[in-house]
Amino acid sequence: MPRYEYRCRTCGDTFEMSRPMAESSDPAACPSGHDDTVKLLSTVAVGGTASAPAPPRASGGGGCCGGGCCG
């Protein structure tokens, strides 16, 4: 079950809840009992290794140092 992070607007506490995706936008009371909470946007880190190396970049195209803006 996914975990979602919420912040209480009343006391400022941040807390997590495990709930089904279908309920992710439902109201969530903070542990102190306040009802004015907001769901935070979370980022997900995925670990592991790449299965193939990155393709080579075309020469002369873009990027800070490739475009000549670093000098």
Side-chain angles (χ1 to χ4, degrees):
M1 191 172 309
R3 293 188 61 80
Y4 297 96
E5 191 173 20
Y6 298 86
R7 175 169 289 136
C8 178
R9 292 180 182 171
T10 304
C11 65
D13 284 348
T14 300
F15 60 97
E16 293 182 351
M17 290 185 71
S18 294
R19 52 179 22 179
M21 282 190 210
E23 298 174 11
S24 68
S25 297
D26 290 354
C30 87
S32 298
H34 305 120
D35 291 327
D36 188 13
T37 60
V38 61
K39 186 174 98 168
L40 301 177
L41 181 62
S42 301
T43 58
V44 177
V46 178
T49 58
S51 59
R57 294 179 55 137
S59 61
C64 179
C65 293
C69 65
C70 293

